[in-house]
Amino acid sequence: WALMMVAMMLPSAAPMILLHARIDRAETPAERLRNSLIFIASYLLVWTLFSAVAAALQAALVSAGVLSGASLALGDPVLVAALLIAAALYQLSPAKSACLDQCRSPIHFVMGHWRPGPAGAARLGVVHGLYCLGCCWPLMALLFVGGVMNLAWIAALALTVFVEKLAPPRWHADRVVAGLLVAGAAILLARG
């Protein structure tokens, strides 16, 4: 889970990572590099902790027979549809909107949260990671829909996160994703 989260979330965090590296004014290149690495490690710590929770949930769902041990995907179409609808509702929530606003504009985020030095880099990484988690955790829960090890599904979710964070707000990518999730749920229920 942790490696998968790193692979999925680092591309969408790249603008923030690059901005951090550019604006850090530590005295030496080595100190700037250290601060950037601390920022990245702190960001990834948030996703690693999420990964631990997701892995524990996965194990519990497999033990309960709700998640297929082979595909690591939910088998019950009604349960899948419910998860899709829950994710769609979160896409439309004020919490999602607030977190997405923080993730969309790295410069505004940095202006509001910047602190110098290693401690500042660690704090900034954790805060950015928490906003990113708040923005994306329901989409990551959809790994249980398509299969935790399904590379096409992983790529689709990573692309969705990337587009949501980088698309201009006027595109309402979060609403488009919500609509697609509801449509997917409706198709599943209609087939069932």
Side-chain angles (χ1 to χ4, degrees):
W1 271 92
L3 290 175
M4 183 171 41
M5 288 299 104
V6 168
M8 292 177 75
M9 300 313 298
L10 272 182
S12 67
M16 179 64 74
I17 293 166
L18 294 172
L19 179 64
H20 182 276
R22 277 193 84 139
I23 65 172
D24 191 306
R25 295 293 175 231
E27 291 186 24
T28 68
E31 289 173 340
R32 288 191 293 277
L33 176 60
R34 175 203 62 206
N35 291 346
S36 290
L37 292 175
I38 289 171
F39 170 77
I40 294 166
S42 300
Y43 173 81
L44 293 177
L45 174 65
V46 172
W47 283 104
T48 300
L49 293 173
F50 171 81
S51 298
V53 171
L57 178 60
Q58 173 186 314
L61 291 173
V62 169
S63 290
V66 177
L67 197 67
S68 163
S71 68
L72 297 177
L74 296 169
D76 181 0
V78 173
L79 189 56
V80 170
L83 187 56
L84 290 171
I85 290 170
L89 290 173
Y90 187 80
Q91 286 289 111
L92 303 173
S93 73
K96 166 75 176 199
S97 181
C99 290
L100 189 55
D101 286 346
Q102 293 293 319
C103 290
R104 271 192 181 133
S105 176
I107 192 70
H108 288 109
F109 179 82
V110 168
M111 287 172 53
H113 300 282
W114 180 264
R115 304 290 181 276
R123 179 185 174 281
L124 192 68
V126 167
V127 171
H128 183 60
L130 290 172
Y131 276 119
C132 193
L133 179 64
C135 179
C136 302
W137 71 267
L139 293 174
M140 296 303 112
L142 295 180
L143 287 165
F144 292 121
V145 169
V148 174
M149 300 311 290
N150 180 333
L151 293 179
W153 189 244
I154 291 168
L157 290 173
L159 181 62
T160 299
V161 168
F162 187 78
V163 168
E164 272 192 350
K165 286 184 174 186
L166 298 180
R170 69 180 180 279
W171 287 10
H172 301 291
D174 51 341
R175 294 180 190 170
V176 172
V177 171
L180 292 171
L181 293 172
V182 169
I187 291 167
L188 275 174
L189 293 174
R191 284 185 185 168

